Amino acid sequence: MMTSACSVCGERADFWKRVDGFDFFDCPACGSIALAPDVIAAIDDGQHIRQYDESYWQDEVRSANERAWSSSLARSAEAIYLCSKPVHRFIDIGSGDGSLLDSLSYHLPGFRDRLWGVEMFPPEKHTDHPGYVHASLGAMAGSYDCGVCVEVIEHLTPKMLDRLVMDLAQKSEPGSIFMFNTGLADFVRLEDRSYIDPIRRGHIVSYGLNAIQSIFERHHFKVSRLGSRNWAFIAEKSPEAPFEIHHRIW
């Protein structure tokens, strides 16, 4: 069987599948399914497989808009509910066209001025919400108490994800909580192998929970799985609350 160093943790990983001409490897140590290390390194050097241009957004905006008025709205409500501190500033990380800001503003009009969205590669047509910003997370002003990151981290190399988490740590206070919606590696293995999709959707890594915990915890986040869900997790900055997330629900 063909093996490779894992692009996420460096341990030995087994060949998983070739997708669109690219080899992916499944790591038993950190649990991730990822592109081969040389391709990941090339992406980190700026040689992206998928450009986030208008052709990408032509396919993506419709599904992002549908999520904004359904599943992403539910994820946002859940994050706010689980937060152990008052939510004065909420952020949508990787906001796409910003439709989640519009959805939240519609349902919570009194909350509108507390909403922010950050997007590095915005589509030409996007929301005119005043909180929508074309920037990196690290360039955003202020700090945030709560937020979501929906269908983003599967696009990021491990170095990119580490930078995102580092920036989030600098932009959040103790007790801040963030819901990440992504197809974890168990989701890919057990439910949808087509989620790995480097060319059309730009999905290059499906992270295992062990890898997520390692990356987030070195930036002082506690990672919690949400029951049996293998497509989402919670990251809480330096939590002081006495109850675990699953106890907080009740």
mmCIF file of all heavy atoms in Angstrom, residues 117-122 126 131-136 139-140:
data_model
loop_
_atom_site.group_PDB
_atom_site.id
_atom_site.type_symbol
_atom_site.label_atom_id
_atom_site.label_comp_id
_atom_site.label_asym_id
_atom_site.label_seq_id
_atom_site.Cartn_x
_atom_site.Cartn_y
_atom_site.Cartn_z
ATOM 1 N N GLY A 117 -19.170 40.184 9.382
ATOM 2 C CA GLY A 117 -18.793 39.095 8.486
ATOM 3 C C GLY A 117 -17.488 39.448 7.804
ATOM 4 O O GLY A 117 -17.308 40.588 7.368
ATOM 5 N N VAL A 118 -16.576 38.498 7.717
ATOM 6 C CA VAL A 118 -15.279 38.754 7.096
ATOM 7 C C VAL A 118 -15.071 37.752 5.974
ATOM 8 O O VAL A 118 -15.346 36.560 6.123
ATOM 9 C CB VAL A 118 -14.137 38.683 8.139
ATOM 10 C CG1 VAL A 118 -14.062 37.318 8.805
ATOM 11 C CG2 VAL A 118 -12.805 39.053 7.508
ATOM 12 N N GLU A 119 -14.622 38.239 4.816
ATOM 13 C CA GLU A 119 -14.417 37.392 3.644
ATOM 14 C C GLU A 119 -13.196 37.880 2.864
ATOM 15 O O GLU A 119 -13.126 39.046 2.483
ATOM 16 C CB GLU A 119 -15.655 37.422 2.747
ATOM 17 C CG GLU A 119 -15.523 36.674 1.439
ATOM 18 C CD GLU A 119 -15.155 35.211 1.627
ATOM 19 O OE1 GLU A 119 -15.899 34.488 2.331
ATOM 20 O OE2 GLU A 119 -14.110 34.800 1.083
ATOM 21 N N MET A 120 -12.237 36.980 2.636
ATOM 22 C CA MET A 120 -11.020 37.355 1.918
ATOM 23 C C MET A 120 -11.218 37.398 0.408
ATOM 24 O O MET A 120 -10.537 38.147 -0.289
ATOM 25 C CB MET A 120 -9.892 36.375 2.269
ATOM 26 C CG MET A 120 -9.341 36.538 3.674
ATOM 27 S SD MET A 120 -7.894 35.486 3.967
ATOM 28 C CE MET A 120 -6.710 36.198 2.820
ATOM 29 N N PHE A 121 -12.141 36.578 -0.113
ATOM 30 C CA PHE A 121 -12.348 36.499 -1.565
ATOM 31 C C PHE A 121 -13.829 36.716 -1.864
ATOM 32 O O PHE A 121 -14.539 35.774 -2.245
ATOM 33 C CB PHE A 121 -11.881 35.143 -2.088
ATOM 34 C CG PHE A 121 -10.454 34.815 -1.741
ATOM 35 C CD1 PHE A 121 -10.153 33.933 -0.714
ATOM 36 C CD2 PHE A 121 -9.412 35.404 -2.432
ATOM 37 C CE1 PHE A 121 -8.838 33.629 -0.392
ATOM 38 C CE2 PHE A 121 -8.095 35.113 -2.121
ATOM 39 C CZ PHE A 121 -7.802 34.224 -1.089
ATOM 40 N N PRO A 122 -14.326 37.922 -1.702
ATOM 41 C CA PRO A 122 -15.770 38.150 -1.843
ATOM 42 C C PRO A 122 -16.226 38.063 -3.293
ATOM 43 O O PRO A 122 -15.500 38.440 -4.220
ATOM 44 C CB PRO A 122 -15.950 39.572 -1.310
ATOM 45 C CG PRO A 122 -14.637 40.232 -1.550
ATOM 46 C CD PRO A 122 -13.608 39.164 -1.350
ATOM 47 N N HIS A 126 -22.552 41.024 -3.341
ATOM 48 C CA HIS A 126 -22.618 40.595 -1.950
ATOM 49 C C HIS A 126 -23.481 41.562 -1.155
ATOM 50 O O HIS A 126 -23.903 42.609 -1.661
ATOM 51 C CB HIS A 126 -21.220 40.485 -1.338
ATOM 52 C CG HIS A 126 -20.392 41.739 -1.442
ATOM 53 N ND1 HIS A 126 -20.632 42.871 -0.690
ATOM 54 C CD2 HIS A 126 -19.328 42.037 -2.237
ATOM 55 C CE1 HIS A 126 -19.749 43.802 -0.987
ATOM 56 N NE2 HIS A 126 -18.945 43.330 -1.942
ATOM 57 N N GLY A 131 -21.689 45.532 8.442
ATOM 58 C CA GLY A 131 -20.685 44.730 9.129
ATOM 59 C C GLY A 131 -19.888 43.811 8.227
ATOM 60 O O GLY A 131 -18.982 43.127 8.701
ATOM 61 N N TYR A 132 -20.199 43.805 6.925
ATOM 62 C CA TYR A 132 -19.503 42.927 5.984
ATOM 63 C C TYR A 132 -18.180 43.575 5.580
ATOM 64 O O TYR A 132 -18.149 44.709 5.099
ATOM 65 C CB TYR A 132 -20.376 42.696 4.760
ATOM 66 C CG TYR A 132 -19.803 41.737 3.733
ATOM 67 C CD1 TYR A 132 -19.958 40.367 3.873
ATOM 68 C CD2 TYR A 132 -19.143 42.222 2.607
ATOM 69 C CE1 TYR A 132 -19.472 39.488 2.917
ATOM 70 C CE2 TYR A 132 -18.643 41.354 1.646
ATOM 71 C CZ TYR A 132 -18.808 39.990 1.808
ATOM 72 O OH TYR A 132 -18.312 39.124 0.859
ATOM 73 N N VAL A 133 -17.067 42.843 5.753
ATOM 74 C CA VAL A 133 -15.740 43.412 5.523
ATOM 75 C C VAL A 133 -14.932 42.485 4.607
ATOM 76 O O VAL A 133 -14.873 41.273 4.837
ATOM 77 C CB VAL A 133 -14.984 43.603 6.858
ATOM 78 C CG1 VAL A 133 -13.605 44.214 6.597
ATOM 79 C CG2 VAL A 133 -15.785 44.492 7.801
ATOM 80 N N HIS A 134 -14.311 43.080 3.598
ATOM 81 C CA HIS A 134 -13.392 42.360 2.714
ATOM 82 C C HIS A 134 -12.005 42.444 3.345
ATOM 83 O O HIS A 134 -11.306 43.461 3.226
ATOM 84 C CB HIS A 134 -13.408 43.002 1.320
ATOM 85 C CG HIS A 134 -12.397 42.433 0.377
ATOM 86 N ND1 HIS A 134 -12.026 43.076 -0.787
ATOM 87 C CD2 HIS A 134 -11.663 41.297 0.423
ATOM 88 C CE1 HIS A 134 -11.113 42.366 -1.419
ATOM 89 N NE2 HIS A 134 -10.876 41.277 -0.704
ATOM 90 N N ALA A 135 -11.600 41.383 4.040
ATOM 91 C CA ALA A 135 -10.328 41.398 4.761
ATOM 92 C C ALA A 135 -10.029 40.005 5.279
ATOM 93 O O ALA A 135 -10.838 39.086 5.153
ATOM 94 C CB ALA A 135 -10.389 42.391 5.927
ATOM 95 N N SER A 136 -8.866 39.859 5.874
ATOM 96 C CA SER A 136 -8.553 38.650 6.639
ATOM 97 C C SER A 136 -9.066 38.839 8.060
ATOM 98 O O SER A 136 -9.289 39.972 8.514
ATOM 99 C CB SER A 136 -7.046 38.405 6.668
ATOM 100 O OG SER A 136 -6.401 39.441 7.396
ATOM 101 N N ALA A 139 -7.091 41.201 10.248
ATOM 102 C CA ALA A 139 -7.194 42.636 9.983
ATOM 103 C C ALA A 139 -8.445 43.264 10.583
ATOM 104 O O ALA A 139 -8.597 44.490 10.541
ATOM 105 C CB ALA A 139 -7.168 42.890 8.474
ATOM 106 N N MET A 140 -9.342 42.449 11.133
ATOM 107 C CA MET A 140 -10.581 42.969 11.698
ATOM 108 C C MET A 140 -10.309 43.726 12.997
ATOM 109 O O MET A 140 -9.408 43.380 13.760
ATOM 110 C CB MET A 140 -11.561 41.832 11.953
ATOM 111 C CG MET A 140 -12.036 41.125 10.693
ATOM 112 S SD MET A 140 -13.077 42.156 9.651
ATOM 113 C CE MET A 140 -14.624 42.089 10.566
#
